[in-house]
Amino acid sequence: MRLVAMWVGLLALFVAFYGFFRPPGEPLPDLSRWIPLLLAVAIAVAVGVVIGKRNQKGWQLNAEGNTLLSRGHIAAALEKFAAARAVLRNQGQGIIPFNIGLCHLELWQLEAAERDFTSAQETKALPAQVRKFIPVRLALISALQGALS
């Protein structure tokens, strides 16, 4: 955010210095045709900042959930992961269902865990080092449900 403010300040200083150091008698340039472009850039920057802050909050919730999960606070971690899923929407749709599935499995909510692991497995964005753990957990869920003979 400070970087954006710095660039806006630098551009304002450039326009001010141009007006101050122009040759005597030369009129100021007409900048009215640049106003729509500047407004479009300002709106794009504002939208980018808002989306960036929201994504940052979602990944922060995911990190807090991982910390809670590693400390054994499963229900609190599940709440953090669910909040991260709601905030991130389309991003992180591989790793967050995997983390939620881990919580459900630890809480013996086998149907929900199976659903989340299957959802994570179908996501192409899931890293391979995480994806390799899904079949083992799905097999464990099937065994716990008595599906294997």
Side-chain angles (χ1 to χ4, degrees), residues 116-129:
D116 290 320
F117 285 133
T118 304
S119 170
Q121 191 173 28
E122 292 170 355
T123 305
K124 293 182 176 133
L126 188 67
Q129 62 265 28

Side-chain angles (χ1 to χ4, degrees), residues 12-23 26-31:
L13 282 173
F14 174 75
V15 171
F17 281 133
Y18 181 78
F20 184 74
F21 292 114
R22 73 183 189 286
E26 184 179 316
L28 286 174
D30 181 26
L31 299 176

Side-chain angles (χ1 to χ4, degrees), residues 90-139:
N90 294 330
Q91 292 186 351
Q93 291 306 313
I95 195 69
I96 292 177
F98 178 81
N99 290 339
I100 291 174
L102 288 175
C103 292
H104 284 303
L105 186 59
E106 290 287 327
L107 295 172
W108 286 83
Q109 299 168 352
L110 301 179
E111 291 82 16
E114 184 177 21
R115 182 182 61 245
D116 290 320
F117 285 133
T118 304
S119 170
Q121 191 173 28
E122 292 170 355
T123 305
K124 293 182 176 133
L126 188 67
Q129 62 265 28
V130 176
R131 185 180 300 277
K132 68 182 179 182
F133 295 113
I134 293 176
V136 174
R137 284 177 173 74
L138 288 173

Side-chain angles (χ1 to χ4, degrees), residues 32-112:
S32 62
R33 60 186 173 149
W34 289 93
I35 291 174
L37 177 64
L38 292 176
L39 285 175
V41 168
I43 290 170
V45 167
V47 168
V49 167
V50 168
I51 291 172
K53 289 284 186 184
R54 190 181 76 209
N55 287 343
Q56 184 179 20
K57 177 65 175 170
W59 289 112
Q60 180 183 0
L61 286 168
N62 186 53
E64 291 171 6
N66 282 328
T67 302
L68 289 168
L69 185 62
S70 69
R71 292 182 180 166
H73 305 291
I74 310 302
L78 182 59
E79 290 176 11
K80 293 287 185 177
F81 292 137
R85 176 188 268 174
V87 170
L88 289 174
R89 296 185 189 144
N90 294 330
Q91 292 186 351
Q93 291 306 313
I95 195 69
I96 292 177
F98 178 81
N99 290 339
I100 291 174
L102 288 175
C103 292
H104 284 303
L105 186 59
E106 290 287 327
L107 295 172
W108 286 83
Q109 299 168 352
L110 301 179
E111 291 82 16

